[in-house]
Each structure stands twice: as structure tokens, then as C-alpha cells.
Amino acid sequence: MTRQLDEQIVARFPVGQRLRVLDVGMGQGTQALRLARAGHQVTGLEQDATMVAVARESLAGEPQGIRERMRIIEGDGRDTGVHFLPGSFDVVLCHGVLMYVEEPDPLLAGLARMLAHGGLLSLLVRNGDALAIRPGLSGDWSGALAAFDTTAYRNRLGLDVRADRLKDLTSTLAGIGAPLHAWYGVRVFTDTAVDGAEVPADVETLLAVEEKAGRTDPYRGVAALLHLCGVRG
């Protein structure tokens, strides 16, 4: 997904431009820190106090220049209007968040308002059109059968969450003024890998295969996750 995001940024903005980036639901700050290291001005918004503490600890170990380019705010992603003015950012990230939000449309509309004209909205969501793949490949036939008719699922943390369908998000993005510009699949072949699995020796080849599949039909359509990029009109 990082390669996909960088591809979209390079294609949309002049090389060397310092972008204003908002990472909503930044978790431990992995993506936010990466972009700050690349020279961008990054704001991370996260409501989980534990994740905020981890991100701040990681940031504290960075050189001063990077620390000055990144700020961390503890807060809910649905309250972006409380913290920022409309059009304040060139890039807004919302990765791995929508599955925890029962009604995502208000959140998405708020994120779109944060974008300047021509800004990039990057979403990473669970693919609601492929929920039967994981249980099916694992031999859980009853689970696979039930997954065809729902967007609800239980994640690896044991939480009951929800997935999004590409068609629905395409319509939503058009309605909030940030129509879909590009989309990719993420974890086409590796979604059934167990947590903590050893990294294979040929990991670069694995990544190349996943990257190719993530932009190629029909493979991307059955990926576990979808990476959608909308552009503010």
C-alpha cells in the first residue's frame, strides 16, 4: 500500500513539494512518521490513548527536524472540523478505520472538507465483495457461505466490524466531491498468513507479486483490502 500511495503522490504533486498531510486514525504512526521523514508536514489524529503514547514515543526518538514536521493530536476522526479549517491539507489518509465506524458517510464527508482543491484522499478498507475468500481458503465452508450476503465480519482481534463495497464507496466519494481516481487491491495472496509468520527469504518477490496483483483485474477485486484514492474537485 505504501508503494501505491507514493505512486499517487508523485503523480499528483510536484517533486520536492512539502505537502500538508493529515493521517486520521494513525495508529502507532508508522505511515505518518514515514511521510514526515520524507519532508512533509504531517498531523496525526488518533483517539486511542495507547496508540498515541506509542506514536509520541517513536517521534521522540527522531531527529529534531522530523519532530518539528509532525504533530500528534488525540481525538476522534469524526471531529476533524473541530481541529482544522476546511482545505487545510493536500493529502488525507484514513487507513484501517472505516471498518470500525458504523456510519462512515459523515466521517468521509468531513475528511473531504479537509482537502484543498486537487487534494488526495487515501482510504484503506476491508473489501466487502471478498469476505468469503478467507474462510473459504481456510476450509470454513459455513463461514464462507454466510459471508456472501453480509458486510459484517469478525476480525483477527475478535471484534465485530464491517466491510465496504467498492460500488458503494465509489458513489459516496462522488457525492462528497472527492471522486474515485484510482483503486488497488491489498493482500491478494497473503491474507491467510498467520499473525507472526516468518518473513520469507524472497520477500521482495512476494511484494512484487502483491503489487502487480493489486493493480490487475480480476485479482485486485478479490483482495482482502481495498486502497481507494479520491481527488477533491
Side-chain angles (χ1 to χ4, degrees):
M1 189 203 68
T2 292
R3 298 182 184 185
Q4 298 163 357
L5 177 61
D6 286 349
E7 177 181 280
Q8 291 299 314
I9 288 175
V10 168
R12 179 145 299 276
F13 302 101
V15 176
Q17 179 178 342
R18 178 174 291 188
L19 302 174
R20 302 164 299 166
V21 180
L22 173 63
D23 189 353
V24 174
M26 68 169 184
Q28 62 186 8
T30 302
Q31 196 68 247
L33 268 174
R34 186 186 74 85
L35 291 170
R37 291 175 186 137
H40 303 301
Q41 196 73 36
V42 182
T43 299
L45 182 63
E46 172 60 52
Q47 68 174 350
D48 186 291
T50 300
M51 289 291 99
V52 168
V54 171
R56 286 179 173 156
E57 183 177 356
S58 297
L59 182 60
E62 295 290 328
Q64 180 179 350
I66 295 174
R67 296 199 305 270
E68 292 174 349
R69 287 197 296 272
M70 182 171 167
R71 61 173 172 160
I72 298 171
I73 298 173
E74 186 173 343
D76 194 310
R78 290 167 290 193
D79 296 332
T80 50
V82 174
H83 301 286
F84 317 109
L85 294 174
S88 294
F89 298 95
D90 304 300
V91 179
V92 173
L93 314 180
C94 186
H95 297 163
V97 174
L98 288 195
M99 56 273 291
Y100 299 103
V101 180
E102 187 173 349
E103 296 292 339
D105 286 7
L107 168 63
L108 291 173
L111 299 184
R113 283 193 294 271
M114 295 300 104
L115 283 169
H117 182 78
L120 178 69
L121 175 61
S122 175
L123 306 174
L124 184 69
V125 304
R126 190 73 163 90
N127 184 3
D129 293 318
L131 286 181
I133 295 293
R134 183 189 293 174
L137 292 178
S138 301
D140 177 8
W141 306 119
S142 59
L145 189 63
F148 284 107
D149 301 315
T150 184
T151 55
Y153 71 102
R154 179 163 292 179
N155 66 14
R156 291 181 176 180
L157 299 176
L159 301 176
D160 292 321
V161 288
R162 46 171 295 283
D164 289 282
R165 299 186 187 278
L166 177 62
K167 180 180 68 173
D168 296 336
L169 281 178
T170 299
S171 177
T172 297
L173 290 173
I176 62 176
L180 185 65
H181 175 72
W183 69 277
Y184 309 86
V186 177
R187 293 201 331 230
V188 177
F189 299 115
T190 57
D191 187 52
T192 56
V194 297
D195 293 338
E198 184 177 345
V199 177
D202 57 346
V203 63
E204 287 302 320
T205 305
L206 181 155
L207 291 173
V209 170
E210 282 284 351
E211 185 177 8
K212 181 70 172 180
R215 64 180 69 245
T216 304
D217 290 324
Y219 304 102
R220 62 177 180 165
V222 296
L225 303 168
L226 297 179
H227 180 198
L228 286 75
C229 298
V231 174
R232 182 68 168 170

